[in-house]
Amino acid sequence: MIFISDQLFLYFMQLRHYLQFSDFSREEYAYLFERARWIKREFKAYRRYWPLTDRTLAMIFDKSSTRTRLSFEAGMSQLGGAAIYLSTRDTQLGRGEPVEDAARVISRMVDIIMVRTHKHDTIQRFAENSRVPVINGLTDEYHPCQILGDIFTYTEIKGNIAGKTVAWIGDANNMCSTWLQAAEIFDFTMHVSTPPGYDIDPGLIGLNGSNHFKKFTNPMDAVNGADLVTTDVWTSMGFEDETEQRKNDFAAFCVDSEMMSAAKSDAVFMHCLPAHRGEEVSADVIDGPQSVVWDEAENRLHTQKALIEYLLLGKLTIQG
Ligand code: CP
Ligand code: NVA
């Protein structure tokens, strides 16, 4: 009888995870975008593409979600596979089962796993004990799948993002950290403006010191001449106790039409959603002509299908 230890199994599988944006190279993103374009075109033409028949995705949610759950679940089904939703509220994870044990068990039953949780350390421990690829569906620190969709969207609408300026206004949260990682890989500049006390932590982001970001005290200065203006909720999931304090601290950090008018006239506005009109963004901006938030949301589906395909099947010959 042949016995393969977990270590040997991982060695032979050349296992890849997607936990941070910096886990993939520029070349891998170019490949993913090409696949996403093809997958999107086939989907829009109602042509069946089922490379993942009999494959299963497990999705573990420790926090709420609309877009992430739907795009992964629908995406897996559209690729011919199946997705299973697991909430920590009603699994043994919520009753204290060690994350390492859960990873060992779940990864013996499915082909790929997506995890949305609080601390990044949790998903790292999960991945270290998984026999199958693990995808970060958002942690307190990072949201790589969202920026994958966002940069695909920018490229689709405006072309190459290299050399452009992206203004981040608001909280130095998981979205901001991930944008900063992307700036180094795609060679664009981030202008970051956060209120006092909510500064970015370059150590957390793991930047290589390549000078792809500048900090601004005044958000108007940060958006000046920007090609893309983006923001996110003032209070991320898990920080709800700080909501009232943050409403005060972030009051001057609403992306409104006056702020957008300081950006380039053809600048686009992005928001990962869900949005709070009248807080981090005004209604006339998010519902206005420069907003691309609905394309951004839809592209989560197409880019994540390309990501799952890549993690499970590797590089395929580009078709059509
Ligand atoms: N943008 C995003 O990840 O949305 P959900 O929280 O709805 O998944
Ligand atoms: N920064 C937000 C993103 C939600 C998709 C949060 O973590 O709640």
Side-chain angles (χ1 to χ4, degrees), residues 64-69 116 143 146 237 272-274 300:
S64 305
S65 171
T66 299
R67 280 144 289 268
T68 303
R69 176 178 177 181
R116 169 169 283 197
H143 197 3
Q146 182 68 52
M237 291 180 279
C272 66
L273 307 174
R300 293 286 304 277

Side-chain angles (χ1 to χ4, degrees), residues 40 53 69 87 107 127 218:
K40 180 173 182 174
T53 314
R69 176 178 177 181
S87 159
S107 69
N218 184 343

Side-chain angles (χ1 to χ4, degrees), residues 196-209:
Y198 296 91
D199 211 354
I200 56 173
D201 173 357
L204 164 79
I205 299 151
L207 295 178
N208 297 318

